[in-house]
Amino acid sequence: MPDLSIRILSTEGGVAFDPCSAPPSSTVTWNNQTRQTHQITSGTFSTDPILAGMSSRPDFVIDFQASGTIDYFCTLHENEAGTIVVTPVQPMPPEGD
């Protein structure tokens, strides 16, 4: 099961992706809530085509050393792109502090 799911949403202007921030090593999927098929690509990663009402396969795993922003886009539609902001995990302070 993924840690995060990014919704692909229909808008008046086309398609939008949920904003996403995630720590390194998270698994991410895209949940297609439009009537069109989409396919997400980022660097060397690519999903299978994501049919309407379905979630992406395979899961995208954020590298454990990742930082900054990961850009992704739909290979089937121009101008459909989004980002994942990689946020470091903050250690919890020791009890009693």
Side-chain angles (χ1 to χ4, degrees):
M1 179 172 218
D3 297 315
L4 301 160
S5 183
I6 299 171
R7 293 180 303 165
I8 306 171
L9 303 167
S10 294
T11 67
E12 287 184 24
V15 168
F17 298 95
D18 279 336
C20 182
S21 62
S25 300
S26 296
T27 58
V28 179
T29 60
W30 285 262
N31 181 346
N32 185 0
Q33 297 184 1
T34 75
R35 294 181 181 182
Q36 296 181 312
T37 299
H38 298 277
Q39 187 169 12
I40 304 301
T41 296
S42 175
T44 59
F45 172 80
S46 187
T47 67
D48 295 336
I50 312 165
L51 303 176
M54 302 297 288
S55 290
S56 62
R57 296 282 182 252
D59 292 352
F60 173 61
V61 179
I62 299 172
D63 186 271
F64 73 97
Q65 293 180 323
S67 63
T69 301
I70 298 170
D71 297 313
Y72 62 85
F73 63 94
C74 177
T75 60
L76 304 178
H77 305 102
E78 286 187 28
N79 302 321
E80 292 184 6
T83 59
I84 299 170
V85 177
V86 181
T87 54
V89 175
Q90 299 296 321
M92 295 187 65
E95 285 188 40
D97 285 351

